[in-house]
Amino acid sequence: MIAKTIFATAIIALAGAVATPSHARGNCKDVYVVAENLTGGLIKVIDLNFMISGYGKKSEPIRNQDIPAGQSFSVTRNFEHANERQTQVTILYRTRTDNKHFNKWSGVKRASSEFQECKRHRTFEVDLRD
């Protein structure tokens, strides 16, 4: 009786493993996000989001990062639930404003990549403009 129960449990587990959808396999790991500062001044990256077509928006934690003019910022992430789905990366940032009396940060600006299929080692490029 115990052998039949173990056998039945093994068959159910095997059937579940075979029926696992492709988006649960972890194909969207080690994704590269590259943001290039084209504003002509200092910027601060404050957040990174990704939008999965048909699924919704997810946020990725990121440390505030200053990027000088003409330089780029890159980070590697795993995008859960984005495996082999059309995905877009959005970066939120601020630009340094220079005026006569104050030197402060602008309001939040957004720049996004093109939608592309999310796969392991895929690169998402985002141009940050003023």
Side-chain angles (χ1 to χ4, degrees), residues 75-99:
V75 64
T76 305
R77 289 285 193 261
N78 296 331
F79 291 166
E80 297 97 20
H81 309 292
N83 302 323
E84 299 177 359
R85 294 183 181 174
Q86 291 295 310
T87 306
Q88 179 184 49
V89 173
T90 299
I91 294 183
L92 281 63
Y93 63 100
R94 297 178 190 272
T95 57
R96 193 71 161 170
T97 59
D98 295 320
N99 73 22

Side-chain angles (χ1 to χ4, degrees), residues 14-26:
L14 182 60
V18 171
T20 302
S22 65
H23 66 272
R25 284 191 235 142

Side-chain angles (χ1 to χ4, degrees), residues 30-37 43-48 60-68 70-79 89 91 121-128:
D30 301 325
V31 173
Y32 307 111
V33 177
V34 179
E36 188 170 352
N37 180 356
I43 66 168
K44 180 183 295 283
V45 172
I46 58 173
D47 198 12
L48 186 150
E60 281 287 314
I62 192 165
R63 253 193 218 157
N64 289 355
Q65 180 77 37
D66 290 347
I67 306 171
Q71 294 193 13
S72 62
F73 161 78
S74 63
V75 64
T76 305
R77 289 285 193 261
N78 296 331
F79 291 166
V89 173
I91 294 183
H121 302 298
R122 180 65 45 107
T123 301
F124 288 86
E125 296 180 4
V126 182
D127 291 337
L128 308 176

